[in-house]
Amino acid sequence: GDVFASYVRRNGHGNPVPLTGPHRQYSFQAGKMTYAQSVVLDGERIGTISLQSGLSGFYRHLAFRALILPLSIIVSAAVAYLIISRLQKVVTGPVISLSGLMDAVSRDRDYSVRAIRETNDEIGSLVTGFNEMLAQIQERDVELEAHRKHLEGIVAERTSQLAGAYERLQRALDEMVETMAIIVEVKDPYTAGHQKRVAKLATALAAEMGLGPQEQNSIRIACLLHDIGKIQVPAEILSKP
């Protein structure tokens, strides 16, 4: 049929496409898209409306989308990296620092160190609780150290007192032994000095045998007193020629 009316936009060109098939059809050719729709009146087709559009704009839009997609991915990855870095600094940073401090405390047993609170969120509350726990442990250790030193002082004082008492008893024993030895010599002047010489000789033999100081002293005392029985013997018998 004849063209009843047509419109071509500026710088555009195109030819009407007659409808040869169904009432509606599409076609793509020569970089153009054509759409045709029949006009029906009282069941009779009286004409055709045909629209034709170039695909260059579509292709440009498609190329722009193809270019913007990888750029969007790159920008999104960069933004995600910045967000993760920020979260790592805010969230995981204090946790890692706290974990390192816990390892140091466990290794060195130094409860005077403290973690630095950098945030006011749950992580900050965790740091505060950890510091309070360290303070309690440190206070307990100070008290235990004070008790230990106090007990050491008491033990040292008691040990010194016992050592002094032992020395006094030892001196008293030595004086008593010396006195009894003198009594024996006065009782029997004929053997004066005999007990001391025996004690000296026996002590030297004990040292040569490898006996300890306590055993040597016991032998010395025994030798000094080995004639103690003379005290009960009458003097006229002891001095009898």
Side-chain angles (χ1 to χ4, degrees), residues 151-169 171:
L151 290 176
E152 288 180 351
I154 294 177
V155 171
E157 181 181 0
R158 185 59 178 167
T159 302
S160 177
Q161 293 175 353
L162 291 175
Y166 175 79
E167 291 178 359
R168 290 192 296 272
L169 289 174
R171 286 195 300 269

Side-chain angles (χ1 to χ4, degrees), residues 81-108:
Y81 175 77
L82 292 176
I83 293 176
I84 292 175
S85 300
R86 177 61 179 172
L87 289 177
Q88 183 177 9
K89 181 179 180 181
V90 174
V91 178
T92 61
V95 174
I96 294 175
S97 177
L98 186 61
S99 176
L101 183 62
M102 292 172 62
D103 292 339
V105 170
S106 177
R107 181 182 62 254
D108 302 331

Side-chain angles (χ1 to χ4, degrees), residues 174-226:
D174 291 341
E175 291 175 357
M176 181 180 66
V177 170
E178 291 289 342
T179 301
M180 295 180 70
I182 292 173
I183 293 174
V184 172
E185 290 182 351
V186 172
K187 186 77 173 180
D188 185 13
Y190 181 75
T191 59
H194 165 70
Q195 298 173 106
K196 292 182 178 179
R197 289 191 296 272
V198 172
K200 184 178 181 180
L201 179 61
T203 302
L205 290 175
E208 187 67 22
M209 294 172 60
L211 299 180
Q214 186 174 359
E215 289 81 1
Q216 295 179 28
N217 187 56
S218 299
I219 292 175
R220 183 183 66 84
I221 294 174
C223 291
L224 289 175
L225 299 178
H226 77 278

